[in-house]
Amino acid sequence: MGAYILRRLLLIIPTLLGIMIVNFALVQFVPGGPVEQAIARAQGQGDVFGGFAGTDGESTLDQDAPQNDQYIGARGLPPEFIEQLEKEFGFDKPPLTRFLNMMWNYVRFDFGTSYFRSERVVDLVIDKMPVSITLGLWSTLIAYLVSIPLGMRKAVRDGSRFDTWTSGVIIMAYAIPGFLFAILLLVLFAGGSYWQIFPLRGLTSDNWEDLSLLGKIGDYFWHITLPVIASTISAFATLTLLTKNSFLDEIKKHYVMTARAKGLDENQVLYGHVFRNAMLIVIAGFPAVFIGVFFGGSVIIETIFSLDGLGRLGYEAAVARDYPIVFGTLFVFGLIGLLVGILSDLMYVIVDPRIDFEKREG
């Protein structure tokens, strides 16, 4: 197992490098880079994309001023100012040099400073991390607490009316986009057209510091209820069907027939024999499910519920072309995802020592 883990760890290097190369190369062709964003802000446009078309077909820029064809909207600004911006953002160097410098810094976990927030990327990530972890952890735990009992019951009553209508509900839940379900929850329970039960935005109330310990706990759960439910819906559907299919596979095996022949009742067979084997794939998949919820729905959910987490940070950075944040978070998330893949394999071995990945590879 040690050799297998070592090989997987070594594979992280080329895999992560490939991810960064592809994304860095794509960014070179995306219009509206950091320099154009800074120019648009300097001219009071607010957003670079407003300068692409002009207004009523007429240019609002000084036609007699020095021009820089590389940046749309740069006309009218001194060339020295644009050169200073390029130097400040590092765009005075060739792309290959910029990429190698960036990767050398990332290897040392130096992710630089945000272009437009004037804060270190590491500090920003640490500041936003608790919100995203909250959503990911609670959503995963609730998905497991609901999906495992439901999946077991569906497996035991396979083909019954209960199995049929619950499957319909699960498929419907899986088919509903997360953002649409989140908006539905807001409309119904957060002051839309119906009930004002839960808060519309944020993770805590304005008077958080003045609340007692129990008050803070209650306020915290009051705020996360709707975001967590919206994040859980797709993970719950997938995990329920996975649990059901895993139990069905085990129930059909010979050792279950042998246990029944010995006179054991259904509960003894189910919880004494089937449960331990059927839960292998479900338990071992916990890290992957958590990462899926953590990364998959955080952007939309955090934006809709105005939660200041990593998903929203990444979205705003992508819109503003704040590349230190974009590539820094991409590097960290890619590294975490690859490490979680190894962790999932280790979970399989811990739960079932009979699994040997080295023999399978051989």
Side-chain angles (χ1 to χ4, degrees):
M1 189 63 185
Y4 171 79
I5 294 175
L6 180 60
R7 286 196 296 270
R8 288 291 300 272
L9 288 174
L10 292 176
L11 278 173
I12 288 178
I13 298 174
T15 304
L16 191 57
L17 183 61
I19 293 173
M20 299 302 295
I21 289 175
V22 170
N23 285 274
F24 186 86
L26 290 175
V27 161
Q28 307 309 308
F29 302 99
V30 176
V35 176
E36 285 192 314
Q37 292 283 350
I39 291 172
R41 296 186 183 194
Q43 293 181 328
Q45 297 175 10
D47 191 282
V48 66
F49 303 105
F52 282 118
T55 305
D56 297 330
E58 298 179 0
S59 174
T60 59
L61 302 172
D62 185 0
Q63 300 297 326
D64 297 326
Q67 297 185 9
N68 187 326
D69 294 334
Q70 185 177 0
Y71 301 111
I72 298 174
R75 306 178 185 91
L77 292 177
E80 295 79 10
F81 176 77
I82 298 173
E83 291 176 3
Q84 181 63 30
L85 283 177
E86 291 179 338
K87 185 176 181 180
E88 181 179 346
F89 292 146
F91 285 91
D92 57 331
K93 301 180 179 67
L96 179 60
T97 303
R98 286 190 280 118
F99 177 77
L100 293 177
N101 291 338
M102 181 184 72
M103 294 306 300
W104 171 243
N105 291 331
Y106 285 6
V107 168
R108 297 177 295 162
F109 290 94
D110 178 10
F111 301 107
T113 303
S114 167
Y115 286 157
F116 305 109
R117 293 173 181 258
S118 299
E119 294 184 54
R120 295 172 63 239
V121 174
V122 172
D123 295 335
L124 286 170
V125 171
I126 293 175
D127 182 54
K128 313 299 183 184
M129 184 76 76
V131 174
S132 298
I133 290 180
T134 292
L135 289 179
L137 187 59
W138 282 113
S139 298
T140 305
L141 289 176
I142 292 175
Y144 267 80
L145 290 175
V146 173
S147 299
I148 291 175
L150 180 59
M152 290 174 58
R153 187 161 182 82
K154 286 174 64 63
V156 172
R157 302 183 61 179
D158 183 43
S160 65
R161 293 180 61 184
F162 172 81
D163 180 46
T164 301
W165 72 262
T166 52
S167 294
V169 172
I170 290 171
I171 293 173
M172 185 182 302
Y174 184 77
I176 297 176
F179 75 91
L180 185 61
F181 188 69
I183 294 174
L184 178 64
L185 291 176
L186 285 177
V187 172
L188 291 177
F189 304 111
S193 303
Y194 297 90
W195 303 281
Q196 176 67 57
I197 301 176
F198 297 99
L200 183 62
R201 59 174 60 88
L203 201 59
T204 57
S205 299
D206 294 335
N207 63 336
W208 166 264
E209 297 297 334
D210 301 328
L211 298 175
S212 63
L213 178 60
L214 291 178
K216 290 181 177 179
I217 295 175
D219 184 75
Y220 168 76
F221 283 105
W222 183 47
H223 279 78
I224 69 170
T225 298
L226 295 186
V228 167
I229 292 175
S231 300
T232 306
I233 190 73
S234 61
F236 145 78
T238 303
L239 194 56
T240 300
L241 295 179
L242 176 64
T243 304
K244 176 192 173 182
N245 293 332
S246 180
F247 272 84
L248 280 178
D249 290 340
E250 293 296 325
I251 288 173
K252 296 176 182 179
K253 292 184 177 179
H254 292 296
Y255 75 87
V256 175
M257 299 175 59
T258 302
R260 287 171 176 167
K262 290 180 178 180
L264 298 179
D265 60 34
E266 286 300 314
N267 285 334
Q268 290 176 318
V269 172
L270 184 63
Y271 293 103
H273 295 76
V274 175
F275 183 84
R276 179 175 55 187
N277 295 322
M279 287 302 295
L280 290 177
I281 187 172
V282 179
I283 295 175
F286 180 88
V289 173
F290 171 72
I291 291 298
V293 175
F294 182 77
F295 292 149
S298 61
V299 176
I300 297 175
I301 299 302
E302 289 175 13
T303 302
I304 291 177
F305 289 97
S306 299
L307 300 176
D308 199 11
L310 288 176
R312 189 177 177 187
L313 174 68
Y315 169 75
E316 292 176 350
V319 172
R321 303 296 191 264
D322 200 338
Y323 290 152
I325 296 179
V326 173
F327 287 115
T329 53
L330 176 65
F331 182 87
V332 173
F333 289 167
L335 181 61
I336 291 175
L338 293 171
L339 290 175
V340 164
I342 299 176
L343 180 60
S344 297
D345 291 346
L346 290 177
M347 289 287 292
Y348 279 108
V349 175
I350 293 172
V351 174
D352 187 358
R354 297 172 298 176
I355 297 176
D356 191 336
F357 288 102
E358 292 185 6
K359 288 184 178 179
R360 291 189 174 190
E361 287 189 347

